[in-house]
Amino acid sequence: PTVKALHLEPRSARLWVILDSGELMAWNLLQAQRLGSWRPQWPVANMGAFQPMAICEDSRNRQILVLSRGSQLAQAALPAAALGSTGGGLDGTEARSALSWGVRG
C-alpha cells in the first residue's frame, strides 16, 4: 500500500493517513498511541476508481473528508476510537458507510 495523503488535526493532535486502497490509519500524537486502521465503505462502484488525493478531519461534525481524483468528495463518520471512546479500536471491524459528492471546480 502507498500513502496518498496525510492530515494532522491540530486540536486533538490526531494524525490521519489514507492509503491508495482507501484504508485510513490514525494516531494520537500527544499520547504516542496508534488508534488503529479503518476501512470505510467508500461509495464507489469500483474501488480501482477511488484514488484519494487529500484528507481532512472535520472535528466539529465528527467526520473525515476525502477528495478523490475526478473531483469526488467523500465523507465518513469518525470511528469511536478516534473520538476517545473506550468502546473498541479502529482495527478491522469498524466499517461504516460513507457519502460522496461530485465537486465542481
Side-chain angles (χ1 to χ4, degrees):
T2 302
V3 172
K4 298 306 280 187
L6 301 170
H7 172 72
L8 177 60
E9 204 293 317
R11 291 185 184 122
S12 65
R14 278 188 292 265
L15 175 65
W16 291 94
V17 171
I18 188 161
L19 303 177
D20 56 354
S21 65
E23 181 178 3
L24 295 170
M25 301 175 79
W27 292 265
N28 180 319
L29 298 181
L30 292 177
Q31 297 176 0
Q33 177 183 15
R34 182 176 185 269
L35 298 174
S37 61
W38 172 46
R39 185 179 297 276
Q41 298 171 355
W42 299 113
V44 291
N46 178 359
M47 199 53 204
F50 183 77
Q51 299 176 7
M53 296 179 5
I55 182 173
C56 180
E57 177 183 338
D58 178 358
S59 57
R60 176 177 290 158
N61 294 311
R62 296 182 175 193
Q63 63 185 3
I64 290 288
L65 302 171
V66 175
L67 182 64
S68 175
R69 291 200 190 280
S71 299
Q72 185 175 18
L73 181 65
Q75 78 174 39
L78 286 175
L83 297 170
S85 169
T86 58
L90 299 175
D91 291 317
T93 60
E94 187 150 356
R96 297 183 183 179
S97 61
L99 302 173
S100 70
W101 304 272
V103 178
R104 296 179 192 214

